[in-house]
């Protein structure tokens, strides 16, 4: 870069900085005598304005013709005076105010890079704050709040077996997203649902939870089929939260729980004790915060009886009530202030873990977390996951059932009988009561046989679903006038999904197409 | 630079912590080793064996050293030195044990005789899979495979049936002996919130992370109740909160992440997976389950009864009576590595060594004094507990003793009772109103009914049980026609009305049945 400017003082500033010139002269020659006063390398030199300046600086020494031309200047010259400059002369930045400072340029470039990267991430995560945007980067699935419909269409079944993968390259731009996403919804693993319930601050619940009680959960494709449930959940949520506006009720609940703890550990006898127990039994979801506090208090005083009784109560309340705010409150507050070395800490930790498995939106189990636990393979986690499946697996969508079933089947042959039993019971739940064993699981052969049966059972379902999805795609291609592409899909269904209802239907449609073509 | 500073800081902290830890160990060991010589047999003869015990590079003070299987032992001094006066034979092993370390052994012929102890792990592995006590050739770890005699003793004990005992299960679910629901008391039906309280004592290996705390569904190793592996995994326990912190929660377990680890009172089992623990010989280990306030009621109070008894003052532990050596067991694992031992050193695991009936009969002394007057016959009956470390009856709250006094005339017909205590309705329809006394913790519910189950009790508790070394006399006045008096003491585990409603087989124990002829 080469610039020149005339200063206000009439001095003429000249700066020569050549990228090529940053290198020592290949020849190591010194500049010509007399010229070094006016020519500086990487620094500013003041020269009298009266001194005539050449419009183009002459080479200071012979330069070979084949010297590469500086891309910045187009100048093939490269001063080789660096070795002559003393350290005091190397006032590198003294002339930068006259140009764009390099640190500023660097900053701008970095900001530009950030903006570019950000623009890449924004469509994936539509969080409003920069923090959430940054957090979402690299953990896209965990923060995903896009409806599965859109994702399925954009991701185009890339996570599916090879015979479906080629669907993604079949010109989906010509096809409406909806039918594909319907198909995808039955095949693509569900993405975790982002919980958008209003946060419920610590204490008191009454004042904290009333912020925006009616916040609607996101309408996701995985839950799209249960919109009615969403409606109910929201209604309950609203009611429950609105009910917490009264601090007096909260205070009374706390008192009831405290009295119950006193009764339960033998400090409150007689009629007062009976009243405390009766009052406690009447508590409902409205008293969840008080129950959680009571649980923490009981654990802190190492009292097993109230810990277990209140645990039961909390689980009952959350099982019977679909208010996501309650569940979130429980998950976030159970165990608070309980010492790590408290005898019941592990129990409390496990309770929280079990509650976390529940989908906060409708208290149905969170499939993603269940799958994660099953994949980790640790005994307690598998048992927890299996238990959740047993209690709520019937709420799964069909593809969710298959996913969980696939993860469970491997435990049918596990060496731990506890895991085998849990897996079997969970699979029975997923199979709507069908029990494929093993009845006598003492023999490995029986276990293997049962595992094969379970695999067949759930694979068959998957097979059907895939065939139906392809058939739907073919129909839409046909409706869109893409007869050739549609025929390709019909043929695929007939050839690769024999025995399914979709294959039979595809065969009929193929015949119709042929007949139409002949006409 | 910052990382360097952090590293240096961390290293400094670790150095300080290490120094404090080592100093603490040294102090504790020097304390324990304050009088090692006192346990070393005082003999003028030179010791047969001299050696040292090490843990790493540090000498271990206070370690118990003996020739394996021999009674005499020595404690190491502050330098870890020991002297044994037993003359070793070829093949003998010298073992060393100290709490907190694995028991180690070395051939007695080794020179130098330096035994190295390895410390136990410091953390409990919650994922540990409990060993099933049931003999099973295909299971390497099954306790009964090697310890047949001990297993049989245990299997006949209440500990083996604590989770699946039929009466216990009937009380849990409100069923009768035939399993029909809705017969008599039932915790699950009357107070479902409390269903999770029982497991920590009745099935402690269900552990705090169990998928269900409902013992109606207990299975697997947990169904084995208080089994071998559980008791021998207890490293320590706290009795500060005895009664409040129940069973599992009160124990400091040490379950290994891999391999095995057993705690027990034998200090010469040098397999490399055993640790000496005096706790298994102390009443403390029983406290967590034999002291329990449940739903506000002191359902189990044996520990506190023992604390208040002369036995505790004399230093006699539960094990002194309830694990008295049978005298027949000489090898804990015959044919599986066990060695022949003094039978007096091996306690029984039946926990009622001579049987419940024999122990009860031995415990109660009955004395009779009768005085004939013109207008009446005065009878005085005195009961005193002999050599018992708790009240009688003890254990579960419904257990009771009945003193039944039956005067008869010369024709064998019942004589008229003029005065004296009468048995209450709780004694059952057959006995209510007869002369006698009830020894029990009698609970009354809110409606004034007695007996009441502990989950329904609360208004009043009367405790009339016999106390150790505190004689109780009861006087009765009968008609002058009285010739003889029959004195019976009957022990029942449950109230008659409960047994009737549950259709339980008769299982009362006649502790005493004697006729006294009046002068």
């Amino acid at each position: 870069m080469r610039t020149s400017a005339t200063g206000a003082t009439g001095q003429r500033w000249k700066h020569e900085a050549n990228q090529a010139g940053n290198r020592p002269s290949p020849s190591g020659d010194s500049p010509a005598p007399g010229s070094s006063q006016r020519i500086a390398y990487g620094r500013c030199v003041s020269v009298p304005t009266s001194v005539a300046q050449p419009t183009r600086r002459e080479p200071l020494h012979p330069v070979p013709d084949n010297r590469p031309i500086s891309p910045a200047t187009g100048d093939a010259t490269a001063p080789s005076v660096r070795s002559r400059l003393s350290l005091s002369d190397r006032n590198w930045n003294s002339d930068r105010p006259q140009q764009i400072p390099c640190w500023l340029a660097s900053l701008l470039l970095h900001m530009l890079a950030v903006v570019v990267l950000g623009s890449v991430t924004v469509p994936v995560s539509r969080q409003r704050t920069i923090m959430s945007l940054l957090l979402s980067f690299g953990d896209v699935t965990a923060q995903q709040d896009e409806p599965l419909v859109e994702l399925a269409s954009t991701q185009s079944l890339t996570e599916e077996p090879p015979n479906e993968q080629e669907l993604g390259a079949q010109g989906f731009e010509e096809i409406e997203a909806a039918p594909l996403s319907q198909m995808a919804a039955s095949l693509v693993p569900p993405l975790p649902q982002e919980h958008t319930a209003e946060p419920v601050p610590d204490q008191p619940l009454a004042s904290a939870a009333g912020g925006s009680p009616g916040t609607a959960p996101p309408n996701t494709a995985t839950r799209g089929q249960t919109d009615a449930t969403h409606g109910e959940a929201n209604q309950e949520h609203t009611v429950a939260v609105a009910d917490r506006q009264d601090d007096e009720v909260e205070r009374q609940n706390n008192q009831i729980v405290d009295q119950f703890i006193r009764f339960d550990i033998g400090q409150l006898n007689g009629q007062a004790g009976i009243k405390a127990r009766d009052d406690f039994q009447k508590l409902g979801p409205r008293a969840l915060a008080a129950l959680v506090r009571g649980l923490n208090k009981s654990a802190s005083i190492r009292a097993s009886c109230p810990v277990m009784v209140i645990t039961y109560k909390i689980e009952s309340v959350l099982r019977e009530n679909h208010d996501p705010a309650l569940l979130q409150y429980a998950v976030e507050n159970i165990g608070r202030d309980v010492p790590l070395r408290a005898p019941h800490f592990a129990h409390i930790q496990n309770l929280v873990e079990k509650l976390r498995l529940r989908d906060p939106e409708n208290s149905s189990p969170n499939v993603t977390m269940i799958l994660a636990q099953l994949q980790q393979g640790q005994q307690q986690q598998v048992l927890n996951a299996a238990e959740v499946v047993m209690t709520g697996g019937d709420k799964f969508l069909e593809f969710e059932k298959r996913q969980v079933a696939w993860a469970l089947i491997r435990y049918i042959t596990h060496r731990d009988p506890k895991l085998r039993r849990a897996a079997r019971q969970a699979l029975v739940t997923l199979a709507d009561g069908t029990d494929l064993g093993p009845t006598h699981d003492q023999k490995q052969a029986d276990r293997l046989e049962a595992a094969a049966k379970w695999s067949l059972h759930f694979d068959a379902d998957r097979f059907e679903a895939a065939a139906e999805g392809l058939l739907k795609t073919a129909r839409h291609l046909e409706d869109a006038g893409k007869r050739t592409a549609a025929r390709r899909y019909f043929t695929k269904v007939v050839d690769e999904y024999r025995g399914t209802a979709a294959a039979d239907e595809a065969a009929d449609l193929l015949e119709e197409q042929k007949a139409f073509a002949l006409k | 630079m910052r990382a360097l500073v952090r590293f240096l800081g961390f290293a400094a902290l670790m150095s300080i912590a290490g120094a404090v830890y080592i100093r603490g160990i040294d102090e504790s060991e020097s304390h324990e080793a304050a009088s090692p010589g006192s346990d070393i047999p005082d003999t003028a003869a030179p010791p047969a064996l001299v050696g040292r015990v090490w843990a790493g590079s540090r000498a271990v003070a206070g370690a118990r050293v003996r020739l394996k299987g021999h009674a005499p032992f020595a404690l190491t001094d502050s330098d870890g030195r020991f002297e044994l006066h037993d003359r070793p034979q070829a093949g003998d092993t010298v073992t060393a044990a100290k709490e907190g370390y694995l028991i180690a052994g070395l051939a007695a012929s080794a020179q130098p005789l330096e035994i190295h102890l390895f410390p136990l792990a410091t953390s409990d592995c919650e994922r540990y899979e409990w060993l099933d006590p049931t003999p099973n050739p295909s299971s390497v770890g099954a306790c009964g495979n090697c310890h047949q005699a001990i297993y049989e003793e245990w299997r006949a004990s209440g500990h083996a049936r604590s989770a699946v005992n039929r009466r216990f299960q009937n009380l849990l679910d409100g069923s009768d002996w035939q399993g029909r629901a809705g017969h008599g008391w039932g915790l699950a039906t009357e107070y479902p919130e409390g269903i999770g309280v029982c497991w920590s004592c009745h099935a402690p290996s269900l552990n705090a992370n169990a998928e269900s705390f409902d013992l109606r569904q207990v299975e697997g190793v947990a169904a084995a109740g208080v089994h071998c592996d559980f008791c021998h995994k207890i490293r320590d326990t706290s009795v500060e909160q005895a009664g409040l912190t129940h069973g599992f929660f009160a124990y400091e377990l040490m379950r290994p992440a891999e391999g095995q680890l057993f705690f027990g009172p034998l200090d010469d089992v040098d397999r490399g997976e055993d640790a000496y623990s005096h706790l298994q010989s102390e009443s403390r280990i029983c406290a967590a389950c034999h002291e329990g306030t449940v739903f506000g009621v002191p359902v189990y109070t044996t520990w506190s009864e023992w604390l208040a008894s002369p036995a505790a003052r004399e230093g006699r532990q539960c094990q002194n009576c309830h694990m008295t050596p049978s005298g027949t067991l000489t090898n804990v694992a015959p044919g599986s590595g066990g060695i022949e031992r003094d039978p007096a050193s091996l306690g029984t695991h039946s926990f009622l060594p001579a049987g419940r009936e024999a122990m009860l009969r031995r415990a109660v002394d009955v004395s009779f004094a009768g005085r004939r007057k013109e207008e009446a016959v005065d009878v005085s009956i005195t009961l005193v507990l002999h050599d018992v470390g708790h009240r009688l009856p003890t254990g579960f709250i419904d257990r009771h003793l009945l003193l039944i006094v039956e005067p008869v005339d010369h024709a064998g017909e019942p004589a008229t009772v003029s005065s004296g205590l009468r048995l209450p309705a709780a004694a059952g329809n057959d006995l209510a109103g007869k002369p006698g006394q009830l020894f029990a913790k009698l609970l009354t519910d809110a409606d004034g009914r007695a007996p009441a189950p502990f989950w329904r009790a609360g208004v009043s508790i009367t405790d009339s049980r016999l106390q150790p070394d505190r004689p109780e006399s009861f006087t009765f006045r009968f008609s002058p026609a009285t010739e003889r008096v029959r004195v019976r003491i009957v022990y029942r585990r449950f109230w008659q009305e409960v047994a009737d409603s549950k259709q339980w087989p008769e299982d009362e124990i006649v502790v005493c049945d004697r006729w006294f002829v009046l002068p």
Side-chain angles (χ1 to χ4, degrees):
Chain A
M1 187 164 59
R2 190 182 203 184
T3 58
S4 64
T6 303
T9 58
Q11 287 183 324
R12 185 170 186 190
W13 296 82
K14 184 171 183 180
H15 170 69
E16 289 187 17
N18 192 315
Q19 285 183 328
N22 283 337
R23 296 186 295 270
S25 166
S27 61
D29 293 341
S30 300
S35 62
S36 62
Q37 290 86 1
R38 293 187 291 113
I39 299 175
Y41 172 65
R43 65 186 179 116
C44 296
V45 179
S46 62
V47 291
T49 51
S50 57
V51 178
Q53 297 297 321
T55 54
R56 186 172 186 271
R57 187 170 61 82
E58 295 297 323
L60 299 177
H61 50 84
V63 177
D65 290 340
N66 59 352
R67 176 179 294 182
I69 297 172
S70 165
T73 62
D75 192 344
T77 60
S80 56
V81 296
R82 184 176 181 177
S83 60
R84 287 175 161 251
L85 297 174
S86 66
L87 283 173
S88 58
D89 291 334
R90 297 183 183 181
N91 187 9
W92 305 106
N93 295 320
S94 58
D95 58 342
R96 298 298 165 87
Q98 301 304 313
Q99 311 156 37
I100 299 175
C102 66
W103 61 267
L104 182 60
S106 172
L107 178 66
L108 289 172
L109 282 171
H110 279 87
M111 287 182 69
L112 181 65
V114 168
V115 169
V116 170
L117 286 172
S119 69
V120 171
T121 60
V122 162
V124 179
S125 175
R126 291 180 180 172
Q127 305 293 322
R128 289 193 174 89
T129 64
I130 186 69
M131 272 309 291
S132 57
L133 182 142
L134 293 175
L135 286 173
S136 70
F137 189 71
D139 188 16
V140 171
T141 53
Q143 293 289 326
Q144 189 60 50
D145 61 355
E146 285 297 297
L148 184 60
V149 175
E150 292 179 26
L151 279 170
S153 60
T154 54
Q155 290 180 353
S156 67
L157 307 178
T158 50
E159 294 179 25
E160 281 309 297
N163 56 349
E164 277 91 28
Q165 279 184 352
E166 62 184 87
L167 280 170
Q170 298 298 326
F172 280 143
E173 66 283 359
E174 298 178 4
I175 307 168
E176 288 180 347
L180 281 171
S181 55
Q182 282 173 11
M183 178 183 70
S186 67
L187 298 172
V188 176
L191 293 171
Q193 305 303 301
E194 186 181 351
H195 176 57
T196 57
E198 288 299 308
V200 184
D202 302 341
Q203 297 182 16
L205 181 62
S207 58
S212 51
T215 304
N219 181 20
T220 60
T222 48
R223 302 294 174 221
Q225 298 173 27
T226 56
D227 278 346
T229 312
H230 270 319
E232 289 167 14
N234 289 340
Q235 216 168 16
E236 289 173 15
H237 173 92
T238 307
V239 170
V241 173
D243 191 35
R244 290 185 205 122
Q245 296 302 311
D246 185 2
D247 275 327
E248 180 60 22
V249 175
E250 194 62 26
R251 191 188 62 77
Q252 285 175 359
N253 286 337
N254 281 331
Q255 198 173 13
I256 288 171
V257 173
D258 285 349
Q259 288 290 87
F260 172 75
I261 293 171
R262 288 187 61 209
F263 156 77
D264 214 32
I265 62 176
Q267 290 183 356
L268 196 64
N269 299 317
Q271 291 295 347
I274 292 174
K275 181 177 185 307
R277 184 184 58 201
D278 293 345
D279 289 346
F280 175 81
Q281 285 185 287
K282 290 173 191 165
L283 292 178
R286 170 67 185 81
L288 184 87
L291 289 169
V292 168
R293 282 192 285 272
L295 176 62
N296 295 342
K297 186 181 291 185
S298 303
S300 298
I301 63 171
R302 298 189 279 169
S304 299
C305 198
V307 163
M308 297 309 299
V309 174
I310 297 175
T311 294
Y312 182 95
K313 189 84 177 170
I314 289 173
E315 286 188 309
S316 300
V317 163
L318 293 174
R319 199 180 301 124
E320 291 160 10
N321 191 284
H322 294 172
D323 186 344
L326 290 181
L327 184 60
Q328 189 184 5
Y329 181 86
V331 167
E332 290 177 356
N333 290 281
I334 288 176
R336 176 162 294 196
D337 301 329
V338 176
L340 287 176
R341 291 186 64 81
H344 303 89
F345 189 83
H347 165 83
I348 289 205
Q349 209 172 17
N350 186 57
L351 173 63
V352 172
E353 204 164 300
K354 278 203 276 188
L355 294 179
R356 276 204 181 110
L357 282 178
R358 298 170 190 237
D359 187 323
E361 290 174 11
N362 60 6
S363 289
S364 69
N366 184 317
V367 173
T368 307
M369 291 196 69
I370 289 171
L371 289 172
Q373 292 211 329
L374 289 174
Q375 281 160 6
Q376 286 190 11
Q378 290 180 355
Q379 187 203 40
Q380 200 51 54
Q381 289 181 314
V382 174
L383 290 175
N384 284 345
E387 188 202 354
V388 172
V389 174
M390 279 182 253
T391 54
D394 54 334
K395 294 178 185 170
F396 291 170
L397 301 178
E398 280 308 310
F399 73 94
E400 291 175 330
K401 285 184 179 178
R402 283 194 299 276
Q403 280 189 312
V404 175
W406 298 336
L408 278 166
I409 285 170
R410 69 187 173 108
Y411 292 104
I412 285 291
T413 57
H414 200 275
R415 62 185 172 85
D416 183 350
K418 207 171 180 182
L419 295 187
R420 291 203 300 270
R421 277 194 293 273
R424 180 185 168 193
Q425 287 169 357
L427 283 167
V428 168
T429 305
L430 294 175
D432 299 326
T434 304
D435 189 350
L436 300 176
T439 311
H440 306 289
D441 69 346
Q442 294 303 316
K443 294 179 182 174
Q444 180 66 4
D446 292 342
R447 296 178 217 154
L448 288 170
E449 185 183 344
K453 287 179 185 172
W454 282 115
S455 302
L456 192 65
H457 179 84
F458 285 101
D459 270 342
D461 286 351
R462 180 176 178 238
F463 205 57
E464 290 275 0
E468 284 171 13
L470 281 173
L471 184 62
K472 281 181 186 173
T473 306
R475 280 177 168 163
H476 279 275
L477 284 169
E478 191 176 38
D479 292 345
K482 309 268 179 201
R483 292 186 172 277
T484 308
R487 190 164 60 249
R488 202 183 310 140
Y489 277 100
F490 284 137
T491 308
K492 184 180 179 68
V493 173
V494 171
D495 291 345
E496 298 181 10
Y497 295 88
R498 285 177 192 163
T500 64
D504 294 342
E505 196 175 338
D508 293 342
L509 292 170
L510 262 180
E511 288 300 320
E512 283 179 19
Q513 262 203 356
K514 284 179 185 171
F516 182 79
L518 283 174
K519 284 180 185 176
Chain B
M1 187 61 186
R2 186 175 294 175
L4 180 64
V5 170
R6 282 181 184 168
F7 172 76
L8 289 174
F10 178 74
L13 278 174
M14 292 306 292
S15 303
I16 293 168
V20 169
Y21 174 69
I22 289 168
R23 189 179 172 189
I25 287 178
D26 287 341
E27 283 178 359
S28 67
E29 287 179 353
S30 62
H31 177 70
E32 288 177 14
S35 57
S38 59
D39 290 274
I40 298 174
D42 185 16
T43 172
L49 293 169
V50 176
R52 290 184 82 177
V53 178
W54 298 91
S57 59
R58 289 182 300 108
V60 177
R64 298 161 65 93
V65 184
R66 72 171 81 222
L67 278 176
K68 185 173 181 176
H70 290 221
F73 71 94
L75 292 179
T76 53
D77 63 15
S78 57
D79 292 329
R81 298 180 193 281
F82 65 86
E83 297 177 353
L84 289 175
H85 292 265
D86 279 7
R87 196 59 61 183
Q89 296 179 348
D92 271 358
T93 301
V94 179
T95 62
K98 179 167 180 169
E99 296 199 23
Y101 296 88
L102 288 169
I103 299 168
L106 192 65
S109 57
Q111 284 299 329
L113 193 54
E114 297 196 334
I115 305 174
H116 290 266
L117 298 180
F118 292 92
L120 302 177
T122 53
S123 61
D124 175 43
C125 175
E126 292 179 6
R127 290 180 285 109
Y128 173 78
E129 294 180 28
W130 295 100
L131 293 178
D132 195 324
T134 313
N136 180 1
S138 63
S139 172
V140 177
C143 312
N145 287 353
C146 302
H147 305 284
Q148 298 95 336
I150 294 176
Y151 169 78
E152 291 301 333
E153 288 176 346
W154 167 82
R155 196 166 68 95
S157 74
H159 281 161
R161 299 188 299 273
S162 61
V164 294
N165 178 290
R166 204 157 157 186
R167 290 181 175 85
F168 169 72
Q169 288 285 341
N170 289 162
L171 282 174
L172 264 187
D173 62 7
S175 62
D176 67 1
W177 189 250
Q178 280 74 36
R180 292 172 299 195
H183 284 74
W185 297 356
L187 173 62
T189 52
E190 296 181 65
Y191 188 47
E193 288 90 341
I195 197 70
V197 173
C198 314
W199 72 270
S200 62
C201 288
H202 284 267
S205 59
L206 198 62
N207 88 39
N209 301 325
E211 65 273 24
S212 167
F213 302 114
D214 188 341
L215 288 190
R216 292 173 296 176
Q217 300 161 9
V218 69
E219 58 182 8
V221 185
V226 184
H227 54 74
C228 322
D229 201 22
F230 183 79
C231 283
H232 289 283
K233 285 287 182 292
I234 299 173
R235 181 179 190 167
D236 202 359
T237 183
S238 167
V239 292
E240 289 172 16
Q241 294 282 89
L244 286 188
T245 311
H246 297 166
F248 172 87
F249 295 117
Y251 291 122
E252 182 188 324
L253 299 175
M254 191 58 67
R255 293 165 286 184
E258 55 186 36
Q260 264 305 346
L261 176 60
F262 301 101
F263 294 91
L266 295 178
D267 61 12
D268 59 356
V269 186
D270 60 338
R271 298 181 305 163
E273 51 187 33
D274 299 270
Y276 169 70
S277 166
H278 195 258
L279 177 68
Q280 271 72 6
S281 307
E282 298 175 27
S283 295
R284 278 196 308 138
I285 198 171
C286 313
C289 290
H290 291 275
E291 183 77 18
T293 298
V294 188
F295 313 140
V297 178
V299 177
Y300 303 92
T301 51
T302 309
W303 161 257
S304 52
E305 291 163 18
W306 174 79
L307 279 179
S309 74
R313 290 192 290 275
E314 293 163 9
R316 300 178 65 193
Q317 309 292 315
C318 302
Q319 290 84 347
N320 290 124
C321 294
H322 290 278
M323 295 189 78
T324 310
S326 63
T328 57
L329 185 67
T330 58
N331 191 333
V332 295
S336 303
I339 59 169
E340 289 299 312
R341 295 173 182 276
D342 177 3
S345 67
L346 301 175
T348 178
H349 285 72
S350 64
F351 304 102
L352 293 170
R356 188 187 300 271
E357 192 172 330
M359 289 190 83
L360 282 167
R361 286 182 176 167
R362 196 178 65 193
V364 185
D365 282 344
V366 182
S367 58
F368 178 91
R371 189 176 174 191
R372 186 179 293 281
K373 295 179 180 174
E374 281 188 10
E375 72 284 8
V377 170
D378 287 337
V379 167
S380 174
I381 298 166
T382 303
L383 303 184
V384 59
L385 291 186
H386 173 68
D387 214 18
V388 177
H390 47 74
R391 297 180 77 159
L392 198 74
T394 191
F396 183 57
I397 194 167
D398 288 2
R399 291 174 183 170
H400 55 280
L401 274 181
L402 294 163
L403 167 67
I404 308 158
V405 184
E406 296 169 288
V408 294
D409 59 18
H410 67 282
E413 294 298 318
T416 310
V417 180
S418 304
S419 66
L421 294 169
R422 306 278 182 143
L423 287 168
N429 292 334
D430 296 345
L431 297 175
K434 284 190 174 181
Q437 170 66 14
L438 170 69
F439 304 101
K441 275 196 274 191
L442 187 60
L443 303 178
T444 308
D445 69 10
D447 300 326
R449 285 176 302 195
F454 64 88
W455 54 86
R456 226 195 299 137
V459 174
S460 71
I461 303 172
T462 56
D463 191 351
S464 58
R465 296 172 302 150
L466 293 167
Q467 298 186 54
D469 288 346
R470 194 175 293 183
E472 291 202 35
S473 295
F474 306 94
T475 56
F476 300 90
R477 175 164 287 189
F478 303 129
S479 68
T482 303
E483 289 280 327
R484 295 179 298 163
V485 177
R486 185 186 187 190
V487 177
R488 283 192 290 155
I489 299 175
V490 172
Y491 173 86
R492 288 178 179 165
R493 292 195 290 175
F494 298 97
W495 299 107
Q496 190 62 46
E497 69 168 78
V498 179
D500 289 345
S501 66
K502 303 281 185 189
Q503 300 188 356
W504 286 338
E506 189 77 44
D507 72 336
E508 68 180 24
I509 294 171
V510 178
V511 178
C512 170
D513 188 357
R514 293 170 66 184
W515 286 93
F516 294 94
V517 180
L518 288 165

